[in-house]
């Protein structure tokens, strides 16, 4: 079975890294976020949340291709 690991760096609007994250794909999909600078993270939370959502969407797309997870277009409605 294919497994994969993906790393990401979340930057605030000034380009400063405020959080890091990673995802692992195997028989399950795990996504993790680690905040490095809580004050900067909270100050630019909307921007960071968008970056995290984009990362999660990409990971789920790969998981869908691998047959680990299925993308449901109605999820969240």
């Amino acid at each position: 079975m294919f497994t994969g690991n993906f790393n990401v760096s979340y930057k605030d609007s000034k380009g400063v890294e405020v959080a890091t994250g990673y995802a692992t794909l195997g028989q399950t999909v795990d996504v993790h976020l680690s905040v490095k600078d809580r004050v900067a993270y909270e100050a630019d939370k909307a921007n960071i949340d968008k970056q995290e959502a984009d990362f999660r969407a990409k990971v789920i797309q790969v998981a869908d291709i691998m047959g680990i997870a299925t993308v449901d277009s109605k999820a969240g409605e």
Side-chain angles (χ1 to χ4, degrees), residues 27-57:
Q27 292 183 340
T28 61
V29 178
D30 298 308
V31 180
H32 303 271
L33 171 71
S34 177
V35 175
K36 296 172 77 175
D37 182 342
R38 175 62 64 188
V39 174
Y41 175 83
E42 292 296 333
D44 202 10
K45 190 159 177 22
N47 177 32
I48 304 301
D49 286 349
K50 181 184 179 312
Q51 292 176 59
E52 184 180 9
D54 290 345
F55 178 67
R56 286 178 181 268

